[in-house]
């Protein structure tokens, strides 16, 4: 399908992103899967190529692109090789960066943003708790005043980049009497007394992306670690979740597109009963249906991506994009596993790994059920 989302600048950037992926990611995917983490050298190389600061102004070492289509291109190129690598780098550059750029003081920006651009400071964001899941307003991690400082206690789980991040944005309750309006964001840095990490979590998929539990026991923070205004954390998260969700939708679809393309080549070459398996009517019709569904979804996501680039994307539209793309991604990749037959169940084949990687997309960034709840409320139900 011919896409109208991009211009010549985006096409040139895609060639640079593709070259980075082919040189740095593709040859090392197996190693990243085995060790359950992406080498820091990858982050540093991405920094040298100017790929980590697309959301960060030039004065702090970023690209200052101010055009989400560049983020889209980078995510698509990563996802065509491995969805977990895209997730790890995306949390850093697409999710955390806007919090710091929009909300931090000048001193805080000088402290963290240049290192984020070079890859020397790796970041994550800690919202989810063991007892909370998608219910961010019910979080239990808390921070209480102690003189001019804050004392942070609690735990988080399923935190992408959590095992290796140098700085993590943590949502904590600072005023229990105010409900959702009593939540504040803090920057917690590696080496702070009382900040500990659990083991790298043993996930079904997304293996290159290190994921961990985080524990805070009387972690002492100053006002210099408060991000934005006290008590505004929930609002800040709600304001920025649409970008996380459209970013997830872009990645979901690019991941499915990549697996579909590989499967199409496979069914042209794999033979059974004297002919390529793609020529059997059932398989041909199924591939035709999947191709159409991918193209229709691509058109939808491209429109919303352009709306987000103009600052017009709504939370409901982002929810639609997130849930629909996750469903399409899982449907397409599951069908591709079936078309591979027994080989599709072997982890040495990318389609099997992609199948495992895709399942979580219906859960994270707000479960698909929560997305439908948001859409339903907007319908007046």
């Amino acid at each position: 399908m011919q896409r109208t989302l991009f211009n010549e600048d985006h096409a040139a950037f895609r060639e640079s992103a593709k070259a980075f992926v082919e040189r740095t990611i593709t040859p090392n995917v197996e190693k990243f899967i085995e060790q359950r983490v992406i080498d820091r050298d990858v982050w540093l190389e991405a920094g040298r190529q100017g790929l980590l600061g697309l959301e960060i102004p030039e004065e702090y070492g970023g690209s200052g692109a101010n055009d989400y289509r560049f983020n889209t291109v980078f995510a698509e190129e990563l996802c065509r090789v491995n969805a977990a690598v895209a997730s790890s780098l995306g949390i850093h550059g697409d999710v955390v960066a806007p919090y710091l750029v929009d909300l931090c003081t000048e001193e805080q920006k000088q402290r963290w943003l240049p290192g984020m651009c070079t890859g020397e400071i790796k970041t994550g964001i800690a919202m989810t708790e063991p007892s909370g899941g998608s219910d961010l307003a019910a979080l239990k991690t808390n921070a209480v005043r102690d003189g001019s400082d804050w004392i942070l206690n609690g735990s988080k789980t399923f935190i992408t980049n959590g095992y290796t991040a140098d700085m993590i944005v943590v949502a904590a309750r600072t005023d229990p009497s105010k409900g959702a309006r009593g939540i504040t964001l803090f920057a917690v840095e590696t080496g702070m007394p009382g900040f500990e990490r659990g083991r790298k979590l043993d996930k079904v998929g997304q293996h290159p992306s290190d994921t961990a539990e985080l524990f805070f026991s009387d972690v002492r923070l100053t006002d210099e670690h408060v991000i934005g205004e006290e008590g505004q954390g929930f609002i800040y998260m709600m304001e920025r979740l649409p970008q996380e969700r459209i970013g997830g939708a872009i990645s979901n679809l690019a991941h499915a597109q990549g697996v579909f393309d590989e499967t199409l080549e496979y069914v042209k070459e794999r033979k059974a009963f004297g002919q390529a398996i793609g020529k059997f009517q059932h398989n041909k019709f199924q591939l035709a249906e999947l191709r159409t569904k991918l193209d229709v979804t691509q058109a939808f996501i491209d429109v919303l991506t352009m709306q987000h680039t103009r600052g017009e994307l709504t939370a409901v539209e982002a929810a639609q994009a997130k849930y629909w793309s996750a469903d399409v991604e899982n449907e397409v990749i599951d069908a591709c596993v079936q078309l591979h037959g027994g080989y599709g169940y072997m982890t040495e084949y990318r389609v099997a790994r992609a199948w495992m990687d895709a399942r979580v997309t219906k859960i994270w960034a707000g479960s698909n059920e929560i997305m439908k709840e948001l859409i339903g409320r907007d319908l007046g139900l």
Side-chain angles (χ1 to χ4, degrees), residues 122-175:
K122 180 178 176 181
T123 63
I125 186 164
M127 300 182 188
T128 306
E129 298 188 349
S131 62
S134 296
D135 188 3
L136 297 179
L139 60 83
K140 297 180 180 179
T141 297
N142 67 87
V144 297
R145 276 290 189 185
D146 183 43
S148 61
D149 293 343
W150 295 91
I151 305 298
L152 178 69
N153 283 281
S155 64
K156 302 288 183 177
T157 194
F158 310 139
I159 307 305
T160 301
N161 298 340
Y163 195 77
T164 56
D166 304 292
M167 190 274 278
I168 297 176
V169 177
V170 178
R173 187 170 300 284
T174 50
D175 189 340

Side-chain angles (χ1 to χ4, degrees), residues 58-360:
E58 293 181 14
E59 58 262 39
Y60 305 108
S63 303
N66 197 30
D67 182 344
Y68 195 74
R69 290 173 291 179
F70 288 103
N71 304 55
T72 299
V73 168
F74 188 37
E76 288 179 345
E77 292 306 314
L78 289 170
C79 281
R80 287 186 177 275
V81 174
N82 185 272
V85 174
S87 170
S88 186
L89 294 172
I91 286 289
H92 175 87
D94 282 11
V95 178
V96 176
Y99 282 90
L100 305 189
V101 171
D102 297 343
L103 304 174
C104 279
T105 65
E106 182 61 26
E107 187 277 332
Q108 289 173 324
K109 292 177 182 179
Q110 294 288 352
R111 179 173 180 174
W112 293 311
L113 292 181
M116 286 185 68
C117 294
T118 62
E120 294 171 287
I121 295 177
K122 180 178 176 181
T123 63
I125 186 164
M127 300 182 188
T128 306
E129 298 188 349
S131 62
S134 296
D135 188 3
L136 297 179
L139 60 83
K140 297 180 180 179
T141 297
N142 67 87
V144 297
R145 276 290 189 185
D146 183 43
S148 61
D149 293 343
W150 295 91
I151 305 298
L152 178 69
N153 283 281
S155 64
K156 302 288 183 177
T157 194
F158 310 139
I159 307 305
T160 301
N161 298 340
Y163 195 77
T164 56
D166 304 292
M167 190 274 278
I168 297 176
V169 177
V170 178
R173 187 170 300 284
T174 50
D175 189 340
S177 68
K178 292 184 178 179
R181 293 188 174 274
I183 295 171
T184 303
L185 302 181
F186 295 88
V188 178
E189 297 174 279
T190 294
M192 286 183 163
F195 171 38
E196 297 182 359
R197 312 167 203 255
R199 59 185 173 84
K200 281 182 278 188
L201 296 174
D202 187 14
K203 309 187 297 291
V204 169
Q206 298 273 339
H207 293 143
S209 171
D210 63 285
T211 308
E213 292 177 309
L214 307 178
F215 303 98
F216 312 100
S217 179
D218 293 333
V219 179
R220 184 170 292 274
L221 303 167
T222 69
D223 282 337
E224 294 178 353
H225 294 95
V226 175
I227 296 176
E229 297 181 17
E230 179 184 341
Q232 297 299 301
F234 186 78
I235 294 173
Y236 295 149
M237 290 188 288
M238 293 303 101
E239 289 173 342
R240 285 155 188 81
L241 275 172
Q243 173 154 312
E244 181 176 353
R245 287 168 179 161
I246 190 65
I250 290 162
S251 295
N252 295 345
L253 189 57
H255 188 216
Q257 294 272 15
V259 174
F260 177 88
D261 291 344
E262 291 180 13
T263 302
L264 186 58
E265 293 306 310
Y266 178 83
V267 300
K268 290 177 180 177
E269 297 177 2
R270 178 72 172 173
K271 290 183 169 53
F273 303 102
Q275 65 177 335
I277 63 173
K279 289 187 175 294
F280 290 104
Q281 188 181 68
H282 171 80
N283 294 343
K284 185 187 300 183
F285 281 13
Q286 183 175 45
L287 288 161
E289 291 169 4
L290 296 177
R291 175 73 278 156
T292 303
K293 185 165 288 189
L294 285 168
D295 285 349
V296 169
T297 304
Q298 187 70 75
F300 174 56
I301 299 302
D302 281 359
V303 167
L304 296 189
T305 300
M306 195 63 231
Q307 286 183 201
H308 183 56
T309 300
R310 296 194 299 260
E312 300 170 357
L313 181 70
T314 69
V316 171
E317 290 167 336
Q320 291 175 310
K322 188 272 177 186
Y323 112 74
W324 179 258
S325 64
D327 277 359
V328 169
E329 174 193 25
N330 278 269
E331 177 187 347
V332 169
I333 295 176
D334 187 75
C336 290
V337 168
Q338 190 72 17
L339 288 164
H340 276 77
Y343 292 105
Y345 204 62
M346 300 296 108
T347 55
E348 64 192 85
Y349 276 70
R350 189 216 173 179
V351 67
R353 299 195 298 266
W355 183 60
M356 294 187 290
D357 290 345
R359 185 57 183 84
V360 73

Side-chain angles (χ1 to χ4, degrees), residues 9 48 50 97 212 274 353 374:
D9 291 338
R48 285 189 287 269
R353 299 195 298 266
L374 295 174

